[in-house]
């Protein structure tokens, strides 16, 4: 009787955790969060012998280059753009410029994916992290982990191949730690990054280690906004007197993943115009001509490094839940009415359905996979490309899935 009375005094949550420790297992399937383009915090260390602008530092200890908001104000933006650019070898392999080292922040933890910026002002996966950490049986540092990557690189690069190896090891160690199969939750570009990773893993490995894949707003056939990043420079709604689009464009044109995320020939046909100028029309089959005509011939060679893109839309071969918005105005075509404005001035966008960033046809690639067990579409602004990861129904879906 005294023993039973003692047990009644122990809080249920504590008692459950004790039982789980004795059993050597966790009540929840652990989650690994895989961010999208611009969603991983990245750190940099400088040891440069020369710089483009006299006021830029040549040397530094490690600091956060993506994203520290102060780097986008005034002359600092040009230093940021130069340091965060990529160069390519003669064989087409991308790498940091000379004298620059980069690394992702907190791989395996959540500090590199909860917020976009170093001051925790721009939320990213933080709402999902908090919700999962509050679930009964959740363990800090175990239930939810992050797998940030350098989003400047496409999957074929040596940098991303090394990331895939690290991701594999993180999945395996998490499984060993919890004795539970792992749930991969990916957003935006993280979707095709994950499908590429999983499509290269064996069925035996996936069966042993993976419970499922939750894809949120996956850009499986690219996004038209990548075109604006290459032509004009994409600063979204930030006024030009704050952020110089031309400087952003100079950097963006060196980023391999920008080319990887161009609209895919498999989902846009040869008669669909995606860029229009007074002199000619461009389709997804005219990217090389577009690079030349916009004054960036180097883009032709960079595009060659990403042309084999079939794995980004490949069935991952694990149980998949596909989540996306669908009814927000989304750019499908960019037009310049004057040749004197092309490509420097902002174009006019012709919109179609999607989530505001990714066109509907790209979001729906995962609807048709044989491994997709469920499709959930979010209407209205809650289904917007970035707002969807904080939507309460999406967070509940993830919580229910890992608790099942």
């Amino acid at each position: 009787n005294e023993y039973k009375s003692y047990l009644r005094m122990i809080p249920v949550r504590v008692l459950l955790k004790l039982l789980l420790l004795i059993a050597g297992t966790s009540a929840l399937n652990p989650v690994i969060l895989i961010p999208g383009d611009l969603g991983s915090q990245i750190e940099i260390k400088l040891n440069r012998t020369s710089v483009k602008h006299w006021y830029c530092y040549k040397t530094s200890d490690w600091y956060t280059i993506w994203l520290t908001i102060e780097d986008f104000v005034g002359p600092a933006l040009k230093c940021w753009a130069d340091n965060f650019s990529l160069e390519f070898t003669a064989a087409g392999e991308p790498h940091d410029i000379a004298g620059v080292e980069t690394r992702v922040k907190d791989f395996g933890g959540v500090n590199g994916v909860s917020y976009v910026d170093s001051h925790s002002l721009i939320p990213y996966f933080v709402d999902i992290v908090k919700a999962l950490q509050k679930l009964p049986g959740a363990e800090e540092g175990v239930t939810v982990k992050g797998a940030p990557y350098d989003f400047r690189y496409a999957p074929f690069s040596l940098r991303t191949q090394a990331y895939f190896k690290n991701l594999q090891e993180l999945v395996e160690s998490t499984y060993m730690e919890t004795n539970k199969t792992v749930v991969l939750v990916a957003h935006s570009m993280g979707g095709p990054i994950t499908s590429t990773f999983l499509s290269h893993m064996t069925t035996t490995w996936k069966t042993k280690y993976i419970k499922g894949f939750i894809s949120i707003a996956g850009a499986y056939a690219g996004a038209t906004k990548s075109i604006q990043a290459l032509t004009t420079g994409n600063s979204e709604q930030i006024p030009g007197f704050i952020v110089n689009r031309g400087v952003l464009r100079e950097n963006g044109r060196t980023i391999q993943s920008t080319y990887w995320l161009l609209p895919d020939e498999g989902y846009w046909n040869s008669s669909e115009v995606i860029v229009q100028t007074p002199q000619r029309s461009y389709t997804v089959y005219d990217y090389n001509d577009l690079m030349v005509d916009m004054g960036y011939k180097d883009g032709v060679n960079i595009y060659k490094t990403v042309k084999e893109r079939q794995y980004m839309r490949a069935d991952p071969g694990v149980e998949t839940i596909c989540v996306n918005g669908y009814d927000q105005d989304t750019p499908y075509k960019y037009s310049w009415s004057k040749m004197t404005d092309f490509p420097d001035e902002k174009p006019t966008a012709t919109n179609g359905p999607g989530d505001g960033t990714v066109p509907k046809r790209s979001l729906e690639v995962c609807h048709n996979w044989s491994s997709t067990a469920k499709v959930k579409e979010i209407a209205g602004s809650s289904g917007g490309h970035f707002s969807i990861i904080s939507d309460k129904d999406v967070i509940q879906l993830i919580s229910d899935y890992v608790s099942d």
Side-chain angles (χ1 to χ4, degrees):
N1 289 336
E2 291 182 5
Y3 180 68
K4 291 181 179 178
S5 298
Y6 176 73
L7 287 176
R8 292 192 190 101
M9 294 172 63
I10 302 175
V12 174
R13 185 183 181 92
V14 174
L15 185 60
L16 176 61
K17 191 158 186 175
L18 286 171
L19 292 171
L20 292 171
L21 288 172
I22 294 170
T25 185
S26 170
L28 304 171
N29 289 91
V31 169
I32 294 177
L33 300 171
I34 301 173
D37 191 17
L38 312 181
S40 301
Q41 288 195 35
I42 298 177
E43 298 176 329
I44 190 171
K45 183 178 182 180
L46 302 177
N47 186 25
R48 303 185 61 178
T49 57
S50 62
V51 290
K52 283 186 176 181
H53 311 285
W54 64 267
Y55 48 80
C56 299
Y57 291 115
K58 291 182 182 179
T59 62
S60 76
D61 200 352
W62 289 102
Y63 71 94
T64 302
I65 189 168
W66 184 266
L67 172 70
T68 299
I69 294 173
E70 301 93 290
D71 285 342
F72 284 74
V73 179
L77 179 63
K78 291 185 178 181
C79 303
W80 171 87
D82 185 29
N83 289 330
F84 206 47
S85 295
L86 295 179
E87 293 178 337
F88 290 77
T89 67
E93 183 62 39
H95 58 86
D96 288 318
I97 63 175
V100 169
E101 291 182 70
T102 53
R103 67 187 185 189
V104 296
K105 180 179 179 180
D106 196 27
F107 183 86
V110 297
N111 292 327
V113 298
S114 291
Y115 292 88
V116 172
D117 69 300
S118 59
H119 298 305
S120 301
L121 298 174
I122 307 172
Y124 194 47
F125 276 133
V126 62
D127 290 336
I128 293 176
V129 170
K130 288 180 178 179
L132 293 176
Q133 289 177 339
K134 290 179 181 178
L135 292 175
E139 298 179 63
E140 186 173 350
V142 177
T143 300
V144 55
K145 301 182 179 185
Y149 59 93
D150 194 327
F151 49 76
R152 296 175 299 165
Y153 295 84
F156 321 98
S157 66
L158 294 176
R159 180 70 68 94
T160 307
Q161 289 298 311
Y163 167 74
F164 285 160
K165 181 63 176 175
N166 292 336
L167 178 57
Q168 177 184 345
E169 292 174 354
L170 181 62
V171 169
E172 292 172 359
S173 63
T174 302
Y175 170 83
M176 295 297 292
E177 185 178 13
T178 62
N179 200 29
K180 286 277 190 176
T181 49
V182 175
V183 177
L184 302 177
V185 176
H187 173 247
S188 188
M189 175 181 164
I193 286 286
T194 305
S195 63
T196 301
F197 166 72
L198 288 172
S199 66
H200 284 81
M201 303 306 292
T202 66
T203 300
T204 300
W205 187 90
K206 288 184 280 193
T207 300
K208 179 175 180 178
Y209 293 110
I210 303 295
K211 175 181 179 176
F213 168 34
I214 300 178
S215 169
I216 306 173
Y220 293 102
T224 319
K225 277 192 174 183
S226 296
I227 295 170
Q228 188 177 1
L230 293 174
T231 52
T232 306
N234 192 357
S235 59
E236 293 293 339
Q237 304 303 315
I238 305 173
F241 66 87
I242 297 177
V243 174
N244 186 317
R245 286 199 319 276
V247 176
L248 293 180
R249 178 180 67 183
E250 182 180 355
N251 168 265
R253 285 178 171 180
T254 74
I255 304 304
Q256 188 187 36
S257 61
T258 306
Y259 299 81
W260 189 58
L261 290 172
L262 286 168
D264 192 333
E265 293 95 331
Y267 288 82
W268 272 259
N269 63 50
S270 59
S271 64
E272 288 184 274
V273 176
I274 56 173
V275 171
Q276 180 72 62
T277 72
Q279 290 188 355
R280 69 165 292 180
S281 302
Y282 301 85
T283 72
V284 292
Y285 294 91
D286 300 317
Y287 287 137
N288 288 344
D289 289 347
L290 178 61
M291 307 294 175
V292 173
D293 292 347
M294 71 186 190
Y296 192 66
K297 294 181 180 180
D298 288 347
V300 174
N301 291 326
I302 298 176
Y303 181 58
K304 288 178 182 177
T305 71
V306 303
K307 287 195 73 173
E308 298 298 325
R309 297 190 288 171
Q310 68 271 24
Y311 291 112
M312 71 187 296
R313 56 181 185 266
D315 190 316
V318 300
E319 183 175 72
T320 299
I321 298 176
C322 190
V323 182
N324 60 268
Y326 63 92
D327 60 357
Q328 302 295 291
D329 284 342
T330 304
Y332 272 60
K333 173 186 174 182
Y334 291 109
S335 301
W336 284 262
S337 59
K338 300 177 182 178
M339 283 307 299
T340 53
D341 290 343
F342 175 76
D344 299 326
E345 300 301 322
K346 268 194 171 183
T348 299
T350 301
N351 294 322
D355 66 4
T357 295
V358 181
K360 191 169 183 281
R361 70 184 75 176
S362 184
L363 295 164
E364 291 182 346
V365 169
C366 58
H367 291 201
N368 300 313
W369 290 338
S370 60
S371 62
T372 297
K374 181 177 181 178
V375 171
K376 184 174 182 65
E377 295 189 300
I378 306 296
S381 59
S382 295
H385 190 67
F386 293 101
S387 58
I388 195 169
I389 55 177
S390 296
D391 178 73
K392 59 181 178 58
D393 291 335
V394 173
I395 294 174
Q396 188 62 54
L397 181 152
I398 298 170
S399 300
D400 291 344
Y401 189 69
V402 303
S403 303
D404 186 9

